[in-house]
Amino acid sequence: MKLPHGGWEDKSVNWRPSVFLSSLAILGLTACTTAPAADPQVVRFDHLDAAESPAGFSANGLAALDAAMRKSVDDGLVRGISTLLVKDGQVINYDQYGIRRAADQAPVIEDTIFRIYSMSKPVTGVALMTLYEDGAFSLDDPITKFVPELADLKVFEGVDEAGEPILVNTDRPATMRELMSHTAGFAYGLFSDDPVNKMFAEAEVLAAPDMDTYVSRLSTVPLLYQPGTNWAYSTAVDLQGYIVEKLSGKRFGQYLEDEIFGPLGMVDTGFYVPEEKRARFSDVFTPDPETGELVPLEAASFAFRKGEIGMEKGGHGLVSTMGDYARFCQMLVNGGELNGVRILEPETVALMRTDVLPEGVGLFSDGVSPNPQMAGQGFGLDFAVYVDPSATGASQPEGTYYWGGAAGTWFWIDPVNDLFFIGMIQRFPGGLDRSLRSESADLVYRALAE
């Protein structure tokens, strides 16, 4: 039976551990060193010696995974890294290496707080789908049913002889399904110099101080294309956060806390880092333009302080820890449930990880930057999905779903092998996550096959 959202609390679990592998209940319970419990919801945090070759993984293969991830620190590509591999509800491999803070060389620790940026998107999608399950909307509903301010959006169709944009009416409003699969036509203003993305950036849509201002600014920017005709990474998930507010009657961040973070025990995930937790907050690093050495970015926009964040951005606004995000992933692996707390029904999770792109439409970005090497991939509801392993060149099997973040964080969930992997780094821009993502996957599946 599905529990009421926000109606669960387990006061017997200590969510503030001092030692990750011995006492952090990252996925729900305490560590042990005995055989796995019969209950599939029980997840243990054992110290795993690579020589033990746990759950069918090669000891040498797991050692190679750690060595490769650590090499990224030793080679100066990142300053700190944390990785986690979980299969069948059991921690297979956990490693952390390097520093989280330059000033005092503080190391990456078990509860380091990371900027997860676009890994916020699946969280927002899950929040929206809790309302879908409650009957608040249909995937075929037009988004204008909930955001009438966007009823008069125009579509960009090129420029005239004077260089002015040619704008036409939409054939129809975008649907909720299209909004959740980046086929609604919205821009993002991040890494494209086309006229629409330039207009989006000039309107300072993402700098809006609140959700209402965000929608007002968004309504002035034309769509890149007619809804449902193409795919483009976009602000669509920020708009989903606004719709969550409208449908629930709650502030977006409060809804996430009540429906996802609280029930799952994600105690360090949110839109800002409280002062009492800032010692655990990682620096975000960028190459020095003169030396190439990675140095901290000190801009206020990277500080995630309360009162300085503007609107709560469902597309890229969250910070989290390895433990918190692992809880979220394990919930999805379990078909929407973790430790007796149901967030979504299994059918809803399956729907979210099913490719919904129209025939002939594909991805051209992995969320980090434009990337033409996206063959064999589709998009579900706020997740990218591997649909043709022979075309992807990736190690993950068909049905694997994933995403990443602008500071280099990445994850994937593999329902075929009942596993997930999370990598956390803090480098901005984070295009490096593309190489770490593919290398980590290659090594994980090589270790599983050996």
Side-chain angles (χ1 to χ4, degrees), residues 100-347:
R100 71 180 188 274
R101 189 167 55 241
D104 58 359
Q105 300 291 293
V108 175
I109 55 175
E110 66 275 4
D111 54 359
T112 295
I113 298 173
F114 300 91
R115 301 158 188 80
I116 63 170
Y117 288 114
S118 286
M119 279 168 53
S120 307
K121 288 177 168 68
V123 178
T124 298
V126 165
L128 189 56
M129 292 306 282
T130 64
L131 293 162
Y132 166 84
E133 288 190 350
D134 291 341
F137 70 94
S138 160
L139 290 174
D140 293 319
D141 282 340
I143 62 173
T144 50
K145 179 177 180 180
F146 313 108
V147 197
E149 297 91 336
L150 302 181
D152 296 324
L153 283 176
K154 301 295 183 181
V155 179
F156 177 78
E157 281 202 347
V159 295
D160 59 22
E161 293 181 355
E164 295 299 317
I166 301 172
L167 305 179
V168 301
N169 293 329
T170 56
D171 294 337
R172 58 169 177 78
T175 66
M176 293 292 287
R177 181 183 288 103
E178 290 163 345
L179 185 70
M180 298 188 73
S181 59
H182 293 290
T183 56
F186 291 105
Y188 216 173
L190 296 180
F191 42 68
S192 179
D193 60 358
D194 64 85
V196 176
N197 276 288
K198 285 183 177 179
M199 284 186 267
F200 187 99
E202 290 168 358
E204 297 186 327
V205 178
L206 295 179
D210 53 63
M211 292 286 203
D212 290 337
T213 304
Y214 162 76
V215 169
S216 176
R217 294 179 182 179
L218 184 63
S219 69
T220 68
V221 182
L223 299 177
L224 286 161
Y225 47 76
Q226 290 288 350
T229 63
N230 206 342
W231 185 94
Y233 195 46
S234 71
T235 189
V237 192
D238 301 306
L239 186 57
Q240 289 174 48
Y242 175 81
I243 293 174
V244 167
E245 286 198 347
K246 291 301 178 182
L247 294 178
S248 69
K250 293 184 178 181
R251 180 178 55 81
F252 180 47
Q254 188 62 54
Y255 190 83
L256 292 179
E257 179 62 35
D258 293 346
E259 309 301 320
I260 299 177
F261 303 155
L264 293 181
M266 297 172 65
V267 297
D268 290 320
T269 304
F271 288 107
Y272 65 93
V273 180
E275 291 304 313
E276 65 271 18
K277 297 182 179 182
R278 297 197 73 82
R280 295 191 280 122
F281 191 30
S282 176
D283 288 342
V284 60
F285 299 93
T286 196
D288 183 283
E290 296 182 1
T291 67
E293 180 183 356
L294 291 179
V295 296
L297 273 169
E298 303 293 351
S301 58
F302 294 99
F304 285 79
R305 293 185 183 277
K306 187 175 184 180
E308 299 178 3
I309 60 170
M311 62 174 275
E312 295 176 331
K313 301 176 181 70
H316 58 277
L318 292 174
V319 298
S320 191
T321 61
M322 178 65 83
D324 277 9
Y325 211 81
R327 289 175 177 275
F328 178 73
C329 288
Q330 188 66 53
M331 176 273 294
L332 293 167
V333 170
N334 293 343
E337 183 180 19
L338 182 68
N339 293 333
V341 179
R342 181 159 294 284
I343 304 298
L344 292 176
E345 296 297 334
E347 297 81 6

Side-chain angles (χ1 to χ4, degrees), residues 43-67:
V43 178
R44 304 172 303 116
F45 263 98
D46 301 343
H47 175 72
L48 297 174
D49 188 331
E52 296 176 4
S53 186
F57 285 84
S58 156
N60 289 337
L62 293 177
L65 170 66
D66 286 346

Side-chain angles (χ1 to χ4, degrees), residues 59-75 81 83 93 95 97 436 439 443:
N60 289 337
L62 293 177
L65 170 66
D66 286 346
M69 298 298 100
R70 289 182 172 219
K71 188 174 185 295
S72 67
V73 177
D74 293 337
D75 289 349
I81 188 168
T83 59
N93 199 63
D95 193 40
Y97 189 63
L436 285 176
E439 185 175 24
L443 290 167

